[in-house]
Amino acid sequence: MPRPVQPPRSPRRDLGPAAPSALALQAAPAPTRRQRLRALAGWLLLAAALVLLDQATKTWVLQQLAYAQRIPVLPVFDLTLLFNTGAAFSFLADGGGGQRWLFTGIALAVAVFILRWLYTHTGQRLLGAALACILGGALGNALDRLLHGHVVDFLLFYWRDWYFPAFNVADIAITCGALLLILDEILRSRRTRHS
């Protein structure tokens, strides 16, 4: 008995990944207040560790070096002790003393803003790490202004007659936090484009 002839099959098209199920499309439940506070506590621990490291290094430099003394470490790097009464790169350093309270107030306002941001975005690790670094650095330098009236800087990079403005651990934390914020935004925009 002859076999029935089956119609030819159309070539299979790759439809890509399977469509997500209805359960997968449901939004994850919002974190509870307790979960938010626990995550916030973790980021605050990171910020506190950065403040402690910053203050410990500044205390050591204040004890070991006289003002403007330089200790060569590498052909392009010295340890030195310098005071900055202004902001980054000595901005407003000649402000007559009022800048001490201005920059301290700005740092405290930024700290409040960052705490709120951390609390409302607990599940975003890269963003949390960025904000914790900025918070630790801002508080480290604000503490200097409250204790000494200026920020203690001691890391000096140079090349021949060119000098990068001296900085400290708090400045490194702020810079790393800013770079992580930029990376987080780049990754977020890529995810948005691909979704």
Side-chain angles (χ1 to χ4, degrees), residues 21-44:
S21 68
L23 289 176
L25 289 176
Q26 292 178 352
T32 65
R33 178 175 162 78
R34 179 180 222 155
Q35 290 170 326
R36 287 181 189 274
L37 290 174
R38 188 177 301 143
L40 179 61
W43 296 126
L44 290 179

Side-chain angles (χ1 to χ4, degrees), residues 107-183:
L108 294 177
V110 166
V112 170
F113 176 74
I114 287 175
L115 287 172
R116 176 74 179 149
W117 202 356
L118 281 170
Y119 180 77
T120 56
H121 293 79
T122 54
Q124 299 179 25
R125 291 187 178 180
L126 189 57
L127 177 64
L131 294 175
C133 287
I134 294 170
L135 178 63
L139 291 178
N141 282 340
L143 195 54
D144 271 15
R145 288 190 177 92
L146 289 173
L147 295 175
H148 310 295
H150 53 257
V151 173
V152 176
D153 290 324
F154 59 91
L155 302 170
L156 181 65
F157 284 88
Y158 57 92
W159 178 251
R160 297 183 181 163
D161 293 333
W162 175 85
Y163 289 85
F164 189 81
F167 57 98
N168 55 46
V169 172
D171 297 331
I172 294 171
I174 292 169
T175 303
C176 289
L179 292 174
L180 288 175
L181 267 182
I182 293 168
L183 177 61

Side-chain angles (χ1 to χ4, degrees), residues 75-99:
V76 294
F77 170 63
D78 290 354
L79 286 177
T80 188
L81 175 60
L82 297 173
F83 301 142
N84 180 3
T85 56
F89 309 114
S90 297
F91 174 69
L92 292 180
D94 299 326
Q99 72 275 24

